[in-house]
Amino acid sequence: MINIRDDLLCYHDLYHLEVSCLPRIKMGNYQVSGIHGINSPIFHDTEIISEYHPLLDEARVAFHEWLTRTSIFNTLKLIGWSIWLITQGVNPIGVLIRHLKVLNWDIIFYPTHHQRKWKLSALLMNCKRSVQAKESIRNPSTEASEHPKSSIPQI
């Protein structure tokens, strides 16, 4: 468990953070990030208006979990989310292929145990910068000095 803003995050929440650091992928009519459909104070400083249905985030995380941490449970979850995507008119095989193309294996799989803490803090910092950059694009009134262009990570 990790403590962020006085809230404990479970592994599933960390998978949302991992996925949100990857480029968005097309799922139906939306570009899904993995975290922007979820209106949670753990992930967002202020209340957000969802860009798309939050279940699309959950479906993308299920694909991510299955690809990176394959288990019987994750396989069953993937089958369930695939069926749900089909009922929504989204091709789950296309989602799988698009997610495979954007995976950054260096961020997901940590090479050694003692580097995990450093890698996780770097991952969280990149996620925070990415969210700040996206919010500064949405809010043109934000001062340019708060989010210099050089601090935007290239994910």
Side-chain angles (χ1 to χ4, degrees):
M1 294 291 212
I2 294 178
N3 188 356
I4 295 182
R5 298 182 190 168
D6 296 327
D7 288 310
L8 290 176
L9 270 71
C10 64
Y11 281 106
H12 183 77
D13 296 329
L14 293 175
Y15 300 152
H16 277 282
L17 285 174
E18 280 183 11
V19 172
S20 72
C21 290
L22 298 171
R24 292 179 179 227
I25 63 168
K26 187 165 178 61
M27 292 176 73
N29 296 326
Y30 303 100
Q31 292 291 329
V32 177
S33 69
I35 204 167
H36 285 86
I38 301 169
N39 191 9
S40 171
I42 295 174
F43 299 123
H44 305 285
D45 290 330
T46 60
E47 187 172 325
I48 64 162
I49 298 171
S50 297
E51 297 176 20
Y52 45 81
H53 198 290
L55 290 179
L56 291 173
D57 280 339
E58 295 298 331
R60 183 170 183 197
V61 168
F63 279 88
H64 182 73
E65 285 183 63
W66 182 75
L67 288 168
T68 60
R69 296 158 185 93
T70 307
S71 69
I72 293 172
F73 177 72
N74 289 341
T75 302
L76 293 174
K77 277 178 39 178
L78 178 72
I79 292 168
W81 282 111
S82 296
I83 292 169
W84 182 81
L85 286 172
I86 291 169
T87 64
Q88 303 302 307
V90 178
N91 179 359
I93 296 172
V95 171
L96 177 67
I97 291 168
R98 286 188 287 276
H99 190 75
L100 269 171
K101 287 181 181 178
V102 300
L103 274 180
N104 184 346
W105 294 100
D106 292 336
I107 290 175
I108 297 161
F109 294 110
Y110 309 115
T112 63
H113 177 71
H114 54 332
Q115 291 179 348
R116 286 182 183 176
K117 196 170 198 175
W118 178 84
K119 291 266 189 178
L120 183 57
S121 64
L123 173 68
L124 292 173
M125 183 58 71
N126 283 339
C127 289
K128 183 177 181 181
R129 286 183 189 150
S130 178
V131 169
Q132 287 174 343
K134 289 172 189 171
E135 287 174 359
S136 69
I137 291 169
R138 284 195 203 132
N139 286 331
S141 64
T142 305
E143 301 260 341
S145 63
E146 289 180 13
H147 307 290
K149 196 170 199 159
S150 63
S151 71
I152 298 174
Q154 297 298 321
I155 300 174

